[in-house]
Amino acid sequence: MKHLSIVLSLLLLSACSMPLVALAQQEFAPDGPPPRAMPGPPPFLHGIELSEAQQDKVFAATHAQAPLLREQERIAFQAHAQLRALAASDAYDDAKAGALASTAAQAMAAISLQQARLEQQLLAVLTPEQRKQAQQRHDGRSGPRRPQ
């Protein structure tokens, strides 16, 4: 049972660290993740004609989530950096490594949840015809989603 727990923890860590690997490959300040570009509409809204009022709502919603996303990205980045440092040190502690992995995973889960909430909030702004267009765009996509 203990081995299963360790394997599941490692799988969760590797799945959650994939976005962080991409961040690590970019140039960034040593004390945190790279700055994000100003948030814009998500890809599923590209090509959909929005009224000015809808554009304002999309703008407000995407910008309102930026502080939370930035904070969670910072937490995940720091936990991952500490985990890498711990793994390379002579004073490796499995319990501390597990706690760091858990912290990184929780931050990534919070980011995923916030992105799902935003998508639902933005879909509520759309008319039925626009939702249909967004669904068609979603259905027509192939391959994995790119991080925003």
Side-chain angles (χ1 to χ4, degrees):
M1 189 66 172
K2 183 177 180 180
H3 295 287
L4 179 61
S5 174
I6 291 171
V7 169
L8 288 175
S9 295
L10 289 173
L11 285 173
L12 180 61
L13 174 63
S14 63
C16 291
S17 66
M18 293 306 286
L20 297 173
V21 170
L23 289 175
Q25 291 175 348
Q26 299 174 357
E27 291 184 38
F28 55 86
D31 59 342
R36 290 175 55 99
M38 288 301 290
F44 76 88
L45 289 180
H46 293 176
I48 296 177
E49 284 290 320
L50 299 175
S51 69
E52 191 171 324
Q54 287 175 314
Q55 290 175 16
D56 290 345
K57 288 178 183 178
V58 168
F59 177 87
T62 56
H63 283 74
Q65 78 166 356
L68 173 74
L69 291 178
R70 171 72 177 127
E71 177 64 15
Q72 294 304 312
E73 288 171 349
R74 186 188 59 74
I75 290 168
F77 181 86
Q78 288 177 347
H80 194 266
Q82 290 172 359
L83 184 59
R84 282 193 319 268
L86 181 63
S89 78
D90 292 335
Y92 177 80
D93 178 354
D94 200 53
K96 187 171 183 178
L100 289 168
S102 178
T103 298
Q106 288 172 352
M108 295 304 295
I111 290 169
S112 294
L113 179 59
Q114 184 59 30
Q115 288 171 338
R117 286 177 178 154
L118 176 66
E119 184 170 341
Q120 184 60 46
Q121 188 178 2
L122 296 180
L123 285 172
V125 169
L126 301 179
T127 66
E129 179 60 33
Q130 290 170 325
R131 272 189 237 119
K132 185 177 176 182
Q133 287 177 327
Q135 184 62 45
Q136 287 171 344
R137 291 182 62 74
H138 182 270
D139 292 344
R141 276 196 321 225
S142 62
R145 290 179 62 181
R146 294 182 316 174
Q148 294 182 18

